[in-house]
Amino acid sequence: MKRYVNKAGEVNYRAIQHEPQQLDDLLYDIAAYDTKAPASQADLYSFYLNAYNVLVIGQIVENYPSASVQHMPGFFDKKLMLVAGEKMTLDQLEHNKLRKLYDDPRLHFVLVCGTSSCPRLSREAYTGRDLFVQLNAQTQRVLQDPTFVQVDAVAKTVKLPEIFKWYEAEFGGSGKTGLAYINQFRADKSVPASFSTDYYAYDWRLNDQKSK
């Protein structure tokens, strides 16, 4: 991640494609990981988080160059990949191995599906030992990012990414409750509850360093 992801969370897919060995090694490790070996829940949680982000990169590199994951048929729901000895799609990994088990809204700021509207991809791997500190830090970074949570103090409005509409129940409901969730991670930059709330359109272009 430190080598191929910049501080803006953009990925150098072209460079990975030309030098695939590290990616290939990670994909092998993900496929061969033994979930039956002694491991804490935090270890398993971090494994599946890392696996998702690496598998997304792997699938994009496999189809590169392309402008969007939408141009890759079955990217989320058809393409089967090997994860700890099980064949699954990205959707199955997200919903069955993460959301269903951990019920943690912070997942939405950690999982990065390779698009410009996704949260910025972290440049570090998640580890069981530091996981909950990392989850909080990543969520705070994302929810204080002015491109992700777009606050207009003059117009007294805030525009949120559509994930707050798609998964509104996970953030405590809809509308103002999404804003209440965000403010937990914005410290002295909290958005006034009186601001009107809207959603901006999802940008499906790749989070690609070369497309900027």
Side-chain angles (χ1 to χ4, degrees):
M1 293 300 188
K2 284 187 171 67
R3 183 175 182 181
Y4 295 109
V5 180
N6 64 19
K7 291 181 179 179
E10 298 162 346
V11 184
N12 193 338
Y13 295 109
R14 184 177 298 171
I16 300 174
Q17 193 176 57
H18 290 319
E19 302 173 307
Q21 190 59 53
Q22 283 185 311
L23 175 62
D24 290 344
D25 290 345
L26 283 173
L27 293 173
Y28 177 84
D29 289 342
I30 288 167
Y33 186 82
D34 183 7
T35 58
K36 295 183 177 63
S40 68
Q41 284 298 307
D43 288 331
L44 291 175
Y45 193 172
S46 59
F47 165 70
Y48 285 119
L49 291 175
N50 291 324
Y52 185 95
N53 289 337
V54 171
L55 290 168
V56 165
I57 291 173
Q59 203 172 166
I60 291 172
V61 167
E62 184 180 327
N63 290 276
Y64 197 81
S66 181
S68 169
V69 296
Q70 288 190 315
H71 300 163
M72 305 174 197
F75 186 89
F76 295 107
D77 60 352
K78 295 290 191 299
K79 174 73 173 181
L80 289 171
M81 291 161 286
L82 199 58
V83 181
E86 293 183 69
K87 287 185 177 179
M88 64 186 74
T89 65
L90 286 173
D91 277 353
Q92 289 169 333
L93 173 53
E94 177 185 357
H95 300 303
N96 297 338
K97 298 299 183 181
L98 287 165
R99 291 182 60 233
K100 185 182 291 186
L101 295 180
Y102 298 103
D103 189 26
D104 185 352
R106 294 174 300 178
L107 285 170
H108 297 293
F109 313 114
V110 175
L111 299 180
V112 179
C113 65
T115 73
S116 290
S117 277
C118 279
R120 293 187 183 189
L121 181 61
S122 174
R123 301 178 75 208
E124 63 181 10
Y126 297 97
T127 64
R129 182 187 62 189
D130 301 318
L131 180 60
F132 291 97
V133 172
Q134 290 177 306
L135 286 173
N136 280 333
Q138 171 69 358
T139 302
Q140 188 174 40
R141 277 194 295 268
V142 171
L143 295 182
Q144 291 189 22
D145 181 347
T147 64
F148 195 79
V149 177
Q150 301 173 4
V151 180
D152 187 334
V154 176
K156 296 184 178 181
T157 62
V158 55
K159 288 189 176 181
L160 306 178
E162 287 186 304
I163 59 170
F164 281 93
K165 179 166 60 175
W166 300 337
Y167 301 105
E168 62 184 19
E170 295 182 32
F171 297 107
S174 60
K176 297 300 183 185
T177 53
L179 191 55
Y181 183 87
I182 287 169
N183 280 337
Q184 296 178 78
F185 298 93
R186 287 182 65 90
D188 58 346
K189 299 179 181 177
S190 61
V191 182
S194 59
F195 280 24
S196 63
T197 305
D198 200 359
Y199 304 96
Y200 55 84
Y202 204 83
D203 185 350
W204 289 97
R205 291 176 301 162
L206 288 186
N207 58 346
D208 185 357
Q209 289 181 24
K210 298 301 180 182
S211 68
K212 306 300 179 185

